Amino acid sequence: MYEEFLRGHLQELGAQLRKKPARGEITLLIGPAEEQTSHAASPSDAAVAVPLSHRVDEIMKVQGVDRKAALKQAARERGLTRREAYKQLLVTRDE
């Protein structure tokens, strides 16, 4: 009965909720930005150009870390979760 969906940027939602406060529970879902303005937040072209498995091997060799840590760092560089990066590794390994 009182269920309501609000969509928008955080500033817009905050303004709407100041005008008309929410009733009851609130569930907040945050998605990726539509357009990333910060160059640091987007995966670099160089990191994406190199296959993921090669990048993981490179990180392991240069930094002397284990495969798990290297995968985590490579995933972060590409804007992926570690799980997504692992799935990509499995797919490319099978090809």
Side-chain angles (χ1 to χ4, degrees), residues 24-95:
E25 295 179 359
I26 296 176
T27 301
L28 179 64
L29 300 175
I30 300 174
E34 293 172 3
E35 200 174 302
Q36 295 179 348
T37 55
S38 170
H39 182 57
S42 64
S44 70
D45 294 335
V48 176
V50 176
L52 184 61
S53 59
H54 291 116
R55 181 63 183 139
V56 170
D57 292 340
E58 180 182 332
I59 292 169
M60 287 172 56
K61 186 188 309 181
V62 171
Q63 296 183 7
V65 296
D66 65 351
R67 183 167 295 280
K68 184 176 178 181
L71 178 62
K72 186 175 180 180
Q73 180 177 338
R76 197 173 334 141
E77 291 174 358
R78 294 169 186 250
L80 302 170
T81 64
R82 189 175 49 83
R83 176 175 281 178
E84 291 169 335
Y86 182 72
K87 284 181 185 178
Q88 281 187 13
L89 277 179
L90 291 177
V91 169
T92 57
R93 183 184 69 180
D94 293 339
E95 292 177 349

